[in-house]
Amino acid sequence: MKNGRKTILEIKNMSISFKQYAEKKGTKQIDLPVIRDLSVTIKEGEMVAVVGSSGSGKSLLAHGVLGLLPYNGKMEGKISYCGKPLTPKKVEKLRGNEIVLVPQSVSYLDPLMKVGAQVRGGRKDAAAKERSRELFRRYGLEESVEDLYPFELSGGMARRVLICTALMKNPKLVIADEPTPGLHLEAARQTLSDFRAIADQGAGVLLITHDLELAMEVADRIVVFYAGTTIEEASADDFRQEDTLRHPYSRALHRAIPQNGFGYIEGTQPYVKDMPEGCPFGPRCEGFCEECQKDIPWVKSGNGYVRCIGSLEAGRMRA
Amino acid sequence: MILTAKDISFRYSKKDREILSGFSLEVSQEEVVGLVAPSGFGKTTLCKILAGYQKPDRGEVLLDGKPLSGIKGPCPVQMIWQHPEQSVNPRLRMREVILEGDNIGQDIIKGLGIEEDWMNRYPAELSGGELQRFCIARALGKSTGFLLADEISTMLDLITQSQIWHFLLEETRRRHIGLIAVSHSSALLDEICTRKIELQR
Amino acid sequence: MNQRKKTIIYFTAAVIFLAAVAIGGLFCKEAAQATDFSQKNLLPGLSHPFGTDWLGRDMFVRTIRGLSLSILIGLAAATVSAFAALILGIASATLGKGVDAVITWIIDLVMGIPHILLLLLISVALGKGLTGVVVGVALTHWTSLARVIRGEVMQLRESQYIKIAEKLGHGKLHIAVKHMLPHLVPQFLVGLILLFPHAILHESSITFLGFGLSSEQPAIGIILSESMKYLVTGKWWLALFPGLMLVLTVILFDVAGESLRKLIDPGSAHK
């Protein structure tokens, strides 16, 4: 159904590393690879969720795409936007217009500027006014909200204002960075369904979140992030059952959901400096073998992708 | 011991509305109590008041009938926070962080899967899940009788969440530590709690 | 080359240079005063690298001696000033609102008056000379560092990990030593080093203006002010070399302090 749609963002083999001092007091600098070999594609009207725990490096994905990495960050790989390479120059031009970031909190709003003026980005023409009114209506904000200052907004209103601000220029790509932490379940659901609505209007939405359960409810596809690497990309439907998942980590995640048995496996996600050779999940995996210590390719598997040798073999056997 | 919150009211400043008004709660050391509340309720504030970090405008928090604020030494009511990166001093090695707790046993460190190698590191060299394990260990000192967990697994992956809660439930049951858990996830609270309290404004 | 290596090199170079000047100066008290009329008004050359003055005194020795005096005075004044900043900053942040209000008011007051003016007043009031200059520089330079320390302590006191440490039963001393000192020491050291160039420049300025050290001592300010009279007669070397050396000293201190500051600043800590 979605195959005929235009691809908006294509990230191929993206790696992001940070230059840091190896020791707290030493003079040697090393490159810490925070994201390794990440590939994601987002089409028109599609919502793709990248799910990973805090500290797994997933927020850097947004910063990398938007060209906002700090001075010691370095990015490799190919990013194309609407079929053409997204160069730093180009992203600077598109940022805030065609490509927008919806930040986490109101603290990104100017505290001394009324909401209306802020949403319109300083424009005073009739078209801007009309567009902002239309957005306010769509997101259930009263016209009087325009005259409020950011501190007068409730949490939920503030989030809707942030979304309206992002949608003013009719963006083609919306990147939402952790929009739900600290929200009550209902409010989080509401926020995510707002993003769903943006996708349904035709834009591509990249949702970066730690909350797999919520992502399953709204996203079309889910990319599972483990210790800086994508280990599986699957349709949200695949996540409803354990058998349809390809990677042992995704399956363990599925079992760990409280409603699905609240089970767990031993071990922790390794910190970037402790990354094992080959598959980062290897040391915690039942099916661990020598092959897992080599580079694992990102391969198509059914309607998704997986980075696991065991799953490849299982697939071959099934075939 | 019994932890009692009596008729607690609180507002951030005179201009604001009361975020807590006349809140009361009684928890024994055999219980795991889950608190569910809509966003904007001030769950973190409530935890801070129950753990003695914040004074309520009215009402009091009592431990076996005595005010919590009068206790000297390590507080029997300990709180674990949502963001572990803010709960540890960035300039202290993890070994020192553990030493801050009241005689943390080796069994706790093992039980939480803390590896010896992490002990010599600074907080910036550990992932969020690894750091949170240290924060939990530090709160489980000899004198701890009640534990407040404020969204402690929200930012972690589901497997880490499950690991941490399995350990905490086992440890608190064995040592008779009362547990009060705050989470936005009812499913999680259904799984871990003996009693669930829905808070309304 | 990365930030840390650069810092180490700058720092070592600065320390070696400054120590050499300061210590060297101590040993040439007589040489700096010695006159030799057969050698007067000589251009810089091999035997006298900075030339000689109208009394035949060797300008190189005089410059080293002058700088040495300035560095030692700067050292004394900056140290006193930095410790005053440390104590007042911590007091301001920890001893309650009343104390904070008073100290903040004094900080604003001192900062409100131009340094050089206040320095002159203090120096003159204390009868010029060494004490006047040291006290003057010490009393005028502590304010900005005190502000930094006050802010840092206040922020630390509100931090989650310190509140947790209190709940875990740790006393004020433990918290101050374990939690606060590691944050304050780097700030303090950088502040101290960045105070040196100010102290030295201000000492030389008021001496140059005639309100500092007495004219018997070959302080760098005295040398410069005396040399000014001979500039019109074409004896450029009398002011040029001492001036350059003063600038070099100040820059070296500044470079060392700035690179140290960059090391502890999270915004550039990994350069």
Side-chain angles (χ1 to χ4, degrees):
Chain A
M1 172 183 93
K2 271 163 190 149
N3 287 341
R5 296 191 177 176
K6 233 172 77 188
T7 299
I8 293 194
L9 183 76
E10 188 175 13
I11 302 174
K12 260 195 174 161
N13 313 103
M14 176 205 254
S15 295
I16 294 178
S17 61
F18 279 89
K19 197 180 234 186
Q20 283 197 346
Y21 287 99
E23 308 265 324
K24 180 119 178 152
K25 290 190 177 99
T27 57
K28 213 180 89 200
Q29 281 179 317
I30 47 168
D31 273 323
L32 274 188
V34 185
I35 293 182
R36 277 158 303 134
D37 200 9
L38 175 145
S39 301
V40 184
T41 306
I42 300 168
K43 291 183 174 158
E44 275 180 337
E46 201 180 30
M47 183 172 187
V48 177
V50 173
V51 181
S53 67
S54 92
S56 63
K58 61 187 187 315
S59 290
L60 289 169
L61 166 61
H63 297 156
V65 173
L66 291 162
L68 296 172
L69 289 179
Y71 66 91
N72 58 341
K74 196 173 80 193
M75 187 167 71
E76 282 162 80
K78 274 192 201 136
I79 305 178
S80 26
Y81 173 74
C82 295
K84 286 182 198 123
L86 188 64
T87 56
K89 233 188 202 159
K90 202 164 165 196
V91 77
E92 205 172 313
K93 233 172 63 196
L94 296 176
R95 198 165 60 208
N97 302 311
E98 284 186 29
I99 305 178
V100 294
L101 174 75
V102 180
Q104 293 185 19
S105 78
V106 245
S107 57
Y108 286 84
L109 291 172
D110 181 344
L112 300 176
M113 202 173 175
K114 282 186 180 168
V115 165
Q118 202 143 183
V119 169
R120 289 190 282 273
R123 280 164 62 195
K124 289 193 178 119
D125 49 306
K129 216 160 228 170
E130 184 155 331
R131 172 83 182 141
S132 67
R133 298 252 158 93
E134 182 200 320
L135 285 168
F136 270 41
R137 268 196 303 280
R138 194 196 303 164
Y139 288 100
L141 291 166
E142 283 169 38
E143 224 165 85
S144 60
V145 173
E146 283 191 12
D147 288 324
L148 298 179
Y149 285 96
F151 79 94
E152 294 174 294
L153 302 173
S154 77
M157 280 156 82
R159 254 176 309 278
R160 279 174 281 159
V161 168
L162 285 171
I163 291 176
C164 290
T165 313
L167 293 187
M168 263 309 277
K169 303 254 175 83
N170 265 321
K172 284 191 185 157
L173 175 64
V174 177
I175 301 176
D177 185 13
E178 286 282 11
T180 58
L183 287 189
H184 179 247
L185 189 61
E186 282 317 307
R189 249 193 206 126
Q190 184 57 46
T191 305
L192 289 187
S193 61
D194 288 343
F195 283 110
R196 178 73 251 177
I198 297 174
D200 293 341
Q201 303 268 338
V205 177
L206 174 62
L207 171 71
I208 296 169
T209 178
H210 66 277
D211 200 325
L212 175 63
E213 293 161 278
L214 279 174
M216 278 165 59
E217 290 181 23
V218 290
D220 297 307
R221 280 182 299 123
I222 293 174
V223 177
V224 183
F225 211 60
Y226 182 83
T229 317
T230 46
I231 51 114
E232 174 161 359
E233 180 184 324
S235 72
D237 283 335
D238 288 349
F239 275 87
R240 303 200 202 288
Q241 281 160 4
E242 201 187 319
D243 325 339
T244 40
L245 291 172
R246 300 156 185 87
H247 197 283
Y249 175 68
S250 325
R251 288 201 289 271
L253 271 182
H254 187 269
R255 288 195 300 273
I257 294 175
Q259 299 95 309
N260 297 350
F262 204 39
Y264 67 90
I265 51 167
E266 297 294 332
T268 50
Q269 277 196 38
Y271 170 72
V272 271
K273 273 191 198 169
D274 309 326
M275 220 50 79
E277 289 286 305
C279 178
F281 186 67
R284 298 171 76 183
C285 184
E286 280 182 348
F288 181 69
C289 63
E290 220 170 282
E291 286 291 295
C292 297
Q293 285 166 297
K294 294 177 184 159
D295 269 350
I296 321 276
W298 181 238
V299 290
K300 199 156 175 56
S301 161
N303 59 352
Y305 288 87
V306 68
R307 195 190 298 279
C308 175
I309 289 193
S311 143
L312 272 181
E313 258 150 36
R316 245 177 253 139
M317 294 220 314
R318 242 180 270 148
Chain B
M1 280 191 285
I2 295 212
L3 180 68
T4 321
K6 240 163 91 182
D7 205 20
I8 287 183
S9 299
F10 183 79
R11 64 175 102 197
Y12 289 115
S13 72
K14 289 219 174 77
K15 272 186 279 173
D16 289 331
R17 63 185 169 81
E18 281 192 328
I19 57 162
L20 292 168
S21 112
F23 174 85
S24 294
L25 175 73
E26 205 173 88
V27 183
S28 83
Q29 286 185 292
E30 312 302 322
E31 282 185 290
V32 180
V33 177
L35 296 180
V36 197
S39 60
F41 181 85
K43 285 169 287 190
T44 299
T45 309
L46 176 58
C47 284
K48 280 159 82 177
I49 290 172
L50 288 175
Y53 283 97
Q54 181 105 52
K55 261 197 176 152
D57 296 337
R58 268 178 292 124
E60 52 187 349
V61 181
L62 304 169
L63 197 63
D64 280 345
K66 283 181 218 111
L68 191 65
S69 49
I71 294 167
K72 295 262 177 316
C75 183
V77 183
Q78 287 294 336
M79 172 168 170
I80 308 167
W81 303 64
Q82 180 179 357
H83 299 288
E85 343 41 280
Q86 294 167 17
S87 301
V88 291
N89 188 336
R91 289 180 194 262
L92 280 190
R93 284 182 198 272
M94 297 320 293
R95 192 180 304 286
E96 306 233 35
V97 171
I98 286 286
L99 281 177
E100 280 202 302
D102 180 18
N103 292 306
I104 308 303
Q106 207 57 43
D107 51 326
I108 293 176
I109 293 172
K110 275 236 170 66
L112 279 165
I114 293 174
E115 286 170 27
E116 177 56 31
D117 179 46
W118 303 350
M119 291 287 200
N120 292 323
R121 298 191 185 177
Y122 290 95
E125 299 169 296
L126 291 171
S127 71
E130 289 164 353
L131 275 182
Q132 190 65 297
R133 289 164 206 260
F134 280 92
C135 294
I136 292 170
R138 179 176 62 178
L140 282 168
K142 290 266 180 305
S143 43
T144 302
F146 287 91
L147 212 51
L148 283 147
D150 179 21
E151 297 274 12
I152 59 168
S153 55
T154 306
M155 301 306 288
L156 312 176
D157 72 44
L158 289 159
I159 297 170
T160 314
Q161 160 168 294
S162 175
Q163 277 178 345
I164 282 176
W165 279 110
H166 276 97
F167 168 81
L168 266 180
L169 289 177
E170 161 94 32
E171 181 76 9
T172 52
R173 198 171 300 141
R174 190 170 62 75
R175 284 170 56 188
H176 306 285
I177 293 174
L179 192 54
I180 301 168
V182 175
S183 173
H184 68 279
S185 161
S186 317
L188 173 67
L189 293 181
D190 285 340
E191 196 64 41
I192 59 175
C193 294
T194 55
R195 175 154 70 104
K196 211 163 101 177
I197 300 172
E198 304 253 357
L199 301 167
Q200 244 106 46
R201 246 182 236 149
Chain C
M1 186 142 52
N2 62 44
Q3 185 82 48
R4 285 190 186 176
K5 281 184 191 152
K6 265 192 222 156
T7 306
I8 292 173
I9 290 171
Y10 287 154
F11 206 77
T12 332
V15 167
I16 291 175
F17 174 83
L18 297 166
V21 170
I23 296 167
L26 291 178
F27 293 107
C28 48
K29 194 176 174 199
E30 274 84 46
Q33 315 270 25
T35 53
D36 180 353
F37 289 100
S38 65
Q39 303 270 322
K40 62 182 185 179
N41 293 331
L42 289 180
L43 271 166
L46 277 180
S47 52
H48 301 286
F50 289 5
T52 60
D53 67 2
W54 60 98
L55 295 172
R57 292 176 297 193
D58 182 89
M59 285 311 285
F60 178 73
V61 178
R62 278 178 73 73
T63 303
I64 296 294
R65 175 73 185 164
L67 274 179
S68 165
L69 260 176
S70 292
I71 290 171
L72 293 177
I73 290 173
L75 199 72
T79 309
V80 173
S81 206
F83 275 96
L86 185 66
I87 291 163
L88 289 171
I90 292 176
S92 186
T94 51
L95 295 183
K97 276 193 183 142
V99 177
D100 185 36
V102 172
I103 294 177
T104 313
W105 183 77
I106 298 176
I107 292 178
D108 289 342
L109 186 75
V110 174
M111 278 187 145
I113 307 171
H115 268 175
I116 201 83
L117 189 68
L118 194 59
L119 242 168
L120 287 182
L121 290 174
I122 295 171
S123 179
V124 171
L126 288 173
K128 299 193 198 170
L130 193 69
T131 343
V133 173
V134 172
V135 172
V137 174
L139 282 185
T140 47
H141 283 71
W142 57 276
T143 48
S144 48
L145 183 57
R147 246 192 204 169
V148 170
I149 287 174
R150 169 179 174 268
E152 182 80 27
V153 172
M154 281 186 150
Q155 205 188 344
L156 281 171
R157 284 204 325 157
E158 290 305 311
S159 67
Q160 226 172 69
Y161 51 84
I162 285 187
K163 302 219 157 183
I164 291 171
E166 283 168 3
K167 273 284 150 222
L168 289 166
H170 295 292
K172 287 210 161 85
L173 189 69
H174 171 95
I175 287 171
V177 173
K178 280 267 165 189
H179 287 284
M180 294 203 175
L181 267 191
H183 288 264
L184 292 179
V185 165
Q187 300 263 18
F188 175 75
L189 282 181
V190 171
L192 178 71
I193 293 174
L194 287 178
L195 269 177
F196 285 141
H198 275 263
I200 293 172
L201 268 186
H202 276 136
E203 179 272 318
S204 331
S205 319
I206 61 163
T207 305
F208 178 81
L209 292 171
F211 297 99
L213 302 184
S214 62
S215 50
E216 295 92 68
Q217 283 161 311
I220 204 85
I222 303 274
I223 297 176
L224 286 174
S225 81
E226 284 182 350
S227 309
M228 292 307 276
K229 297 178 210 151
Y230 293 86
L231 264 186
V232 281
T233 61
K235 301 192 181 68
W236 49 272
W237 62 91
L238 292 184
L240 180 70
F241 290 110
L244 277 182
M245 288 296 279
L246 176 64
V247 170
L248 184 66
T249 307
V250 167
I251 287 177
L252 271 179
F253 267 123
D254 210 52
V255 164
E258 277 301 322
S259 32
L260 206 60
R261 193 184 56 73
K262 275 188 204 144
L263 275 192
I264 64 165
D265 174 24
S268 59
H270 287 290
K271 264 192 185 151

